[in-house]
Structure formats: C-alpha cells, structure tokens
Amino acid sequence: MAEQASNGGPQAAQRNGQAEETERQTILVVDDEAGIRKGCRRVLEAEGYEVLLADTAEQGLDLLRARPTTDLVLADLKMPGLGGLELLAQAKQIAPETVCAVITAYATIETAVEATKRGAYDFLTKPFTPEELLRVVGKALERSRLLRERNRLQVERESRLLEIATEQSRMRTIINSMADGVLVCNADDELVLYNPAALHVLEHLPAGRRVYRLGEVLSSAKLFEMIGDASEGRKRLTQEIQMNGAGQWVLADVSPVVDERSSQFLGTVTVLRDISELKKVEQVKAQFVNMVAHELRSPLAAVDGYLSIMQQGLVTQPEKQTEIIGRSRDRIKALLDLVTDLLDVARMEAGTVLREIEPQAVAGVAGQVLELMEPVAEQRHVALEANIAEDLPRIEADKEEIVRLLNNLVSNAIKYNREGGKVTISAAQDGPYVKLTVSDTGIGISEDGLNRLFSEFFREKRPETAYITGTGLGLSIVKRIVDFYHGRITVDSQPGEGSTFTLWLPCKYEAVEVAA
Ligand code: ADP
C-alpha cells in the first residue's frame, strides 16, 4: 500500500544551499519492510523533506508517474514482484531527472556495480544508521539539484541559440529584401555581408567564399576610395557616384562602426541607393531648360534685330517694312508653337488635360486638317492628297486632340518633304479600328532616328534638317494622344524616299441587336 506523509520545514533546502527555493524536496522510499519505510520517513521528515512511501516497486512507479518531479527514489533491491533493478530502469524512463539510490541487504560489490550500471547514483546497505541515510540522501539530492540545474541551463542555452538564429535569419531577410544595396566590411577591408541589391556594384565574387577582399570585388574605384576614406577618417561620408554602367548612379552613404565600450573600430556599413532614374529626370530637365532657352533665344534675337532696324529708321520702303514685320511675326508664331507644345506636354504629364469626348467623323477631322495645312503645303510646293473611305465608323475622342494629332503628322510630312513632293492622308476601317496613314515623299528617317522618334526633344541632326525649325515635342505629343485612346502607331521609312506613319484608333462601340 502506498502511503504519503507530508510534514517538515525548510531545513533540508537550506542545508542543500537552496534557501531561496521554497518547495520542499521530495523523496520516494520503496521498500517492502515496513520498519525501513517508517524509519526513513521519521528521519527524513525530521529534516524537512516531503516523503512518499511505497511497499512494492509497482506502487513506487505509480507514485513516480503521479509525481515525476520527485527528487530522489530510495529503492530496496530485493522486493517481491518487480525487483529494485527493474524499478530503476523504469524510473529512469518515467522521470529522467530523478536521482535513484538503492538499499541493499547484500553489501557485495557486484550488486552495487549492477545497480549503478542500471542508473543508481549510490547505495545504502542494511542495516543503516540515520546518519548514513542522511549522508546518502544529502549527496543524492545535491546530485539531483546539479542535474536539474544542468538541464535547465541546457534548455536555456538551446532556446537562446534558437533566439539568436531566429534573430539572425530575420535580420538577413530584412537586409535581403531591401531595395537599397548594403555592404558590410570589417576593419581589415573585407566584405563580410552584402545583399542582392548591392550585387550591381560587385564583380568577380569567387564561389564558395564567405569573405572577400573589398578591393578585389568592388566594381567602382571611386566607391572603394570613399569606403577607405570613411574608415580612415572614422567619419560618415555621403556622395553621388557614377557607376561603370552608362547612366548608372548611386547615392552612397558610408558609416564607420565603432564599438561603444572599447572605442575599437569594427568596420563600415555602406548603403547604396540607386538614383539612376532621378539622374535621368535631372538630365531631361537640364536638357529641357537648355533646349527651351536655345529655342526661345534665336527667334527672340531675330525679332529684336528686326525691331532695332525699324527703330533706327534704317528701313524706309513700305514693302521692306511689311516684309520685316512678316518675318518677325513668323518668328513669334514659332515661339507660340513652342510654348503651346510645352504646355501640352506639361498638361499631359500632370494628367490635367480637359477633354470633350464625343463620336468624331474621321473624314471631317482630316478635311479640317488638310484645309489648315494647305497654305503651308503650297508654300513648300508640296501636294496634299486625301484618300478617306466612305462610311467610316466614328471614333470616340476629343476633336481638338485628333486635329492636333493629325496636324503634327501632316505638318511634319510637309516640313520634312522635298520641293515638289506629296503628302497623302488615307483612312479606312481595320477591324475594330480606324486605320489612318500619313505618307510623304520626303527625306525619310534614319534607323537610329526611328528608335528614338517618339521621345521628347528628339530631332534628327542631318544636313537636310539643319534649317528646319521644330521643338522635338510634336511626335511625343502624338504618342501620348494615341496611348490615351488605346491606339497604336507605327512608322515605316526609307531615308531619301519618304516616311509613312500609320495609326489605329478604336472605333466607337455600337451596340448590335442580336436576333433571338
Ligand atoms: P519637330 O518636328 O518639332 O522637330 P517632332 O517630334 O514632330 O519634332 O519630330 C521629331 C523628329 O522626327 C524631327 O525633328 C525629324 O527629325 C523627325 N521626323 C518627324 N517626322 C518626319 C517625317 N515625316 N520625315 C522625316 N523626319 C521626320
């Protein structure tokens, strides 16, 4: 029968140097001799231990299952039923942290050795004195305490390691998914960490190495120099650097890392922001300002010259005066065209164009454009021809915008034509689109020109175009308009023979009644 006795104070814990532990240590005594059980309980409870008693190994194991935190099992080796050795083996499985000691009547070396082989920590031989009991129990409990402490530290260490690993992998994930490049170097100028975004500044990374010499793998000498300066001067440096690839720019920010406590220099952290797009915009802006200034300057200078001649009274003949005023007006007209184009581009860019979208008849719009262009064509001795299919479906668009689009194409076809040349506008239905073509017999466009034709400010620099004025914005406006209406534009051209611009604009959707 299993008996439980609970009594005692904190003496045992204090004696074991664990005054801080408030829980009493528990000892399970398993012996078939009632006298031994009682004796043990008396002595051990007097020391403040909690004592559990069992008279068979089976009962002892049941008690251990119920209380696996038991600190010590004192078991008799020779008991009816399950023996002490078997109890030892099973106790190890039920409560691996519990220390076991055995009580044996046969004080032979073999029995003791066998018991220790099976996991017993110590043994007591019957008969034993209270002092002998307390000595073995004290030693075993100390062992139990150390065992538990060791296990606790191991669990703590493992969870700490896991924490560090998780933290490292989290940091790694963050660094790897950053859009900015990161390079971490140690004090010996070795690259110890980099993320994928920094790969564009690295080259020849030998496979299988974890650490690289910075000088061997950095593709920019300027960046290398900058990292060197920051480590030598122990100061943070920021600089825009042009990389080896054309048009590739990075904003590099190099910070030295110094250990706060020891003031020891540990290395550098470099953050690289790709500013290529920003630089491109800056470049376009500078190009834009340059172009505008240039385009404004020459007509203004010409008008200023004409006005000065008139002011000084150098031109007296009325016909001459009329001619000069005419020339001034032409120059001012060119300026107005430029300003209109610039405003259009700015409005389209900002998305603030006001459109009145209505069904438009292409024949009407094309006719209007041809009428508008007739005087210019005549002046250049260029013939205008129209070839518009009848019954064309309407297109859904803002009329002014379609006029502007065709105007640009036809005006180019006249401007870049030859004396006595021809311009033809054709329109026909092509599936759900109206297909419009503007072809000319002019100077044509080079292959390089064809690739850049729709970019802002692009103008072909050829001897034939030297005296033709323009802004380089017309076709970029055409492209924006076509894109807005979900259309498409293509160009075919042969230098010296002429060009054909073809564009497709979606027809207005007409609901069709389907017969049931
Ligand atoms: P602009 O005519 O004001 O210079 P565009 O954007 O209309 O600007 O045209 C860009 C460039 O494309 C022109 O400068 C010219 O070199 C070329 N180009 C456009 N249309 C034609 C054409 N029909 N024939 C030959 N070259 C053309």
Side-chain angles (χ1 to χ4, degrees), residues 86-101:
E86 186 53 35
L87 179 139
L88 274 183
Q90 290 194 32
K92 276 280 150 234
Q93 285 179 359
I94 296 168
E97 284 192 339
T98 303
V99 172
C100 296

Side-chain angles (χ1 to χ4, degrees), residues 155-318:
V155 168
E156 221 170 64
R157 194 171 145 263
E158 275 166 13
S159 88
R160 183 87 196 102
L161 281 176
L162 192 71
E163 236 172 60
I164 292 171
T166 314
E167 188 58 30
Q168 276 182 349
S169 113
R170 192 179 298 150
M171 286 301 290
R172 195 84 226 174
T173 310
I174 292 171
I175 291 173
N176 280 352
S177 42
M178 274 170 67
D180 287 347
V182 176
L183 301 173
V184 181
C185 298
N186 63 18
D188 299 325
D189 263 354
E190 286 170 335
L191 178 64
V192 288
L193 190 146
Y194 61 90
N195 67 351
L199 279 173
H200 69 283
V201 301
L202 301 172
E203 56 187 8
H204 319 305
L205 286 179
R209 264 168 58 183
R210 286 174 62 86
V211 176
Y212 306 96
R213 297 230 36 102
L214 193 60
E216 289 168 11
V217 293
L218 211 53
S219 61
S220 159
K222 185 106 186 139
L223 182 58
F224 181 60
E225 198 183 305
M226 189 182 160
I227 295 176
D229 288 349
S231 13
E232 258 175 47
R234 305 281 194 273
K235 57 182 182 221
R236 184 173 171 185
L237 297 177
T238 307
Q239 200 182 349
E240 289 182 356
I241 296 179
Q242 181 162 28
M243 302 308 291
N244 304 340
Q248 249 215 332
W249 282 83
V250 292
L251 175 68
D253 186 313
V254 189
S255 306
V257 182
V258 176
D259 183 61
E260 274 178 21
R261 267 181 289 172
S262 64
S263 301
Q264 193 194 350
F265 172 66
L266 300 176
T268 54
V269 174
T270 304
V271 178
L272 303 163
R273 174 154 298 177
D274 191 338
I275 52 164
S276 311
E277 279 304 309
L278 230 100
K279 280 279 168 191
K280 216 157 89 185
V281 172
E282 255 177 40
Q283 227 172 17
V284 169
K285 245 164 90 180
Q287 201 181 338
F288 175 85
V289 172
N290 206 9
M291 205 278 316
V292 171
H294 184 80
E295 292 293 323
L296 291 176
R297 199 172 188 280
S298 44
L300 281 175
V303 173
D304 186 48
Y306 294 138
L307 288 177
S308 159
I309 294 172
M310 300 284 276
Q311 195 183 30
Q312 290 171 42
L314 296 176
V315 182
T316 47
Q317 288 168 297

Side-chain angles (χ1 to χ4, degrees), residues 412-413 415-416 440 443-445 453 458-460 465 469-476 499 501:
N412 278 351
K415 257 194 329 189
Y416 301 103
D440 64 63
I443 59 171
I445 303 161
L453 211 56
F458 171 72
R459 304 204 68 213
E460 272 212 292
T465 59
T469 56
T471 61
L473 291 172
L475 287 181
S476 81
S499 317
F501 286 77

Side-chain angles (χ1 to χ4, degrees), residues 319-378:
E319 321 78 74
K320 254 307 190 201
Q321 286 179 344
T322 312
E323 190 198 320
I324 286 184
I325 291 172
R327 275 199 225 161
S328 302
R329 288 199 60 195
D330 284 351
R331 292 307 196 116
I332 286 176
K333 163 94 178 48
L335 275 177
L336 282 173
D337 285 349
L338 172 63
V339 172
T340 311
D341 277 0
L342 287 172
L343 286 176
D344 273 358
V345 169
R347 266 200 294 265
M348 285 179 178
E349 199 76 346
T352 55
V353 180
L354 275 178
R355 297 181 172 92
E356 274 182 42
I357 296 185
E358 287 172 340
Q360 307 294 344
V362 175
V365 182
Q368 190 180 326
V369 170
L370 289 177
E371 207 179 301
L372 221 81
M373 286 291 143
E374 195 59 60
V376 192
E378 238 170 64

